[in-house]
Every structure is written in C-alpha cells, then in structure tokens.
Amino acid sequence: MGEKQKMREKVEKIIGHGINCFVNRQLIYNFPEELFADAGILAVEHADFEGIERLALVTGGDIASTFDNPESVKLGHCKLIEEIMIGEDRLIHFSGVAMGQACTIVLRGASEHVLDEAERSLHDALCVLSQTVNDTRVIFGGGWPEMVMSKEVDELARRTPGKKSHAIDAFSRALQAIPTIIADNAGLDSAELISQLRAEHHKENSTVGIDVISGGLGDMQKRGICEAFKVKQAIVLSATEAAEMILRVDEIITCAPRRREDRM
C-alpha cells in the first residue's frame, strides 16, 4: 500500500502540470498507467533518449526530471498524436508541431545493405545541405568545376619551364578523374564524354557538364545542377593534402610476419 501511495502522489504531481500526454524514458507500471488513463492522459513508455530530445526540440517543451514545480516546466504542444504502422513496426507519430526544427525520416529497404547505403547517402546529402546553409555559395555540378580548374592548371603547366611543369600537368590530369568517375558510375562512355567536355571548355564562359539523365553533355546552368562550394573546396584540398603526404614518404618499413609456434 505504501508503494502504491507513493506512485499515486507522483502521478498526481505529473497530472498537476495540466498535460494530456506523458512521455517517459522508462517503464510505466500498470497502476500509474491506470491513473493516467482515468485522468484522460496518454502515457508513452520506453521512449529512447535521442527521440525525447528531438521531441522536446520540435514541440517546444522541456525535459523534466522532477515534478515538484509545475510552474517552472515549459510544456510542449502538437496538433495530433497517433499510432501508425510502418511495415511490422508500431510507431507513435507527433504531427502539427509548432517549432518545426526537426523531423523524422523513415528509410525502408529490402536488405540491411540497401538500408546502410540509403542511410549513408542521406547523411551525405544532409551534410552538404548544412554546409550550404552556412556558406550559401554554390557552383555548377556535373564535372564542370573540375574541367575549369583542369584547363587553368594545364595552361599554367604550359607556361612553366622545367620539371615543375610535369607535376602541374599531372595535377591537371588528376582533376579530370572526377568527371570521368561521374560518367563511369552512370554507365556512360567516359573517354568520349571527357574528350567532348574538354573541347566544350575551350570555348569562352562554357557552363557545360555531364548530364547523367540524358547520357550526354548539358548546360548545367539551364538544368539547375549545382553543388556547394564549401564541399567542393574541402574535396580538392583534402585530396591534394593526401597526395602530398603519400609523395613525401621516401621509405616504407615492412614488419616481418610473426612466427607461429607449431602446436602438436
């Protein structure tokens, strides 16, 4: 009886906040659940920690660990709480939230491998989006920036005397690897497309890149194909630094294989 009385007092404190839904990170026993039901309050148990934080963010509420001071707790609000089925899983869906600072994306696939690939692709897209929000500068995509840089570096190599020109020329050819990979991944003839793309970029103010949808070249400006400047800058700088580190390695020490004792 003493334990039930403590549970009742705690539930009454929670009800005193004036809520109609209570989300708990831990288990809610049958007796408190009955008390919540009698008061017309929806009780949700075993909510994950990250989900609670995102829910508090979008509803504008606070995560409360004590219930002695209802006036100091900010309550969250949403228009609809419903239980939905996705596949064989039952989920609680909160919609019509006021803040709108977070959302849930549900990925479904035929296998774990497909889901992992989809999650990585989505993560990359979100990272690009966050970088674009911080730095709004964008450039054309489809291999356009690499061809522009390759052209300028190639012209620098032609003006540079001595052995340095060979290194500069190699850097120019390395930049063309990105549009080549774009064409190969799309199942296109990369050798043919790169030669056509190189010829197009010898024209003034060319905005031509690889259009994987049509399987040929296209005007990146008219098609609206862009990518974040910050991401492209990071790719070029990190690749260049990695190549420099490898070239600076003048000796490789190989460890002898460990001997295995014969066990009879």
Side-chain angles (χ1 to χ4, degrees):
M1 291 299 293
E3 185 178 358
K4 277 193 173 185
Q5 184 60 30
K6 288 183 179 181
M7 287 183 180
R8 185 185 296 275
E9 292 175 357
K10 190 169 186 178
V11 170
E12 288 176 352
K13 289 181 180 180
I14 296 173
I15 295 174
H17 287 69
I19 61 175
N20 56 10
C21 178
F22 175 65
V23 183
N24 192 32
R25 287 174 172 171
Q26 299 175 349
L27 173 68
I28 299 177
Y29 294 102
N30 293 335
F31 180 65
E33 191 173 8
E34 291 176 3
L35 297 177
F36 282 127
D38 293 339
I41 296 175
L42 172 65
V44 181
E45 62 181 6
H46 286 310
D48 61 281
F49 285 81
E50 293 182 359
I52 284 287
E53 292 176 354
R54 289 197 297 268
L55 187 62
L57 183 65
V58 298
T59 58
D62 293 335
I63 300 176
S65 56
T66 59
F67 310 102
D68 296 327
N69 301 309
E71 65 280 354
S72 63
V73 178
K74 185 181 179 182
L75 301 181
H77 299 276
C78 71
K79 293 181 180 180
L80 179 64
I81 303 174
E82 58 183 342
E83 187 179 63
I84 60 175
M85 288 285 295
I86 298 180
E88 298 179 355
D89 298 325
R90 292 180 178 272
L91 304 175
I92 297 177
H93 181 221
F94 294 80
S95 59
V97 294
M99 304 298 290
Q101 296 183 7
C103 65
T104 301
I105 301 175
V106 180
L107 298 177
R108 300 184 65 187
S111 63
E112 290 292 335
H113 177 71
V114 174
L115 281 175
D116 290 341
E117 288 294 329
E119 185 177 0
R120 279 193 289 269
S121 299
L122 181 62
H123 179 267
D124 292 344
L126 292 175
C127 289
V128 171
L129 181 61
S130 65
Q131 291 296 325
T132 308
V133 171
N134 294 331
D135 188 344
T136 57
R137 290 177 294 177
V138 294
I139 55 178
F140 298 127
W144 175 86
E146 287 80 12
M147 295 305 297
V148 172
M149 289 186 288
S150 176
K151 177 185 175 183
E152 296 296 328
V153 174
D154 184 61
E155 291 179 357
L156 176 62
R158 296 177 187 275
R159 298 193 303 267
T160 303
K163 294 182 179 179
K164 287 184 179 180
S165 63
H166 294 288
I168 299 173
D169 183 59
F171 189 84
S172 174
R173 294 195 305 270
L175 287 169
Q176 296 181 17
I178 297 298
T180 303
I181 293 171
I182 293 175
D184 289 337
N185 288 344
L188 305 175
D189 187 351
S190 59
E192 178 67 22
L193 285 177
I194 295 304
S195 61
Q196 294 178 10
L197 192 60
R198 191 185 301 113
E200 287 289 338
H201 276 267
H202 276 83
K203 301 176 182 178
E204 291 294 330
N205 300 323
S206 175
T207 57
V208 175
I210 297 175
D211 185 0
V212 298
I213 303 299
S214 64
L217 302 182
D219 192 330
M220 300 292 101
Q221 185 175 13
K222 291 181 180 179
R223 300 183 187 276
I225 301 175
C226 300
E227 54 185 318
F229 169 78
K230 192 75 174 179
V231 175
K232 182 60 65 178
Q233 183 185 42
I235 291 172
V236 175
L237 290 178
S238 59
T240 305
E241 290 173 0
E244 288 179 357
M245 290 178 63
I246 294 173
L247 291 173
R248 287 174 181 171
V249 175
D250 55 359
E251 187 175 356
I252 299 176
I253 300 175
T254 305
C255 181
R258 185 179 59 181
R259 293 183 178 180
R260 296 183 178 181
E261 297 179 359
D262 295 333
R263 296 181 179 178
M264 301 298 294

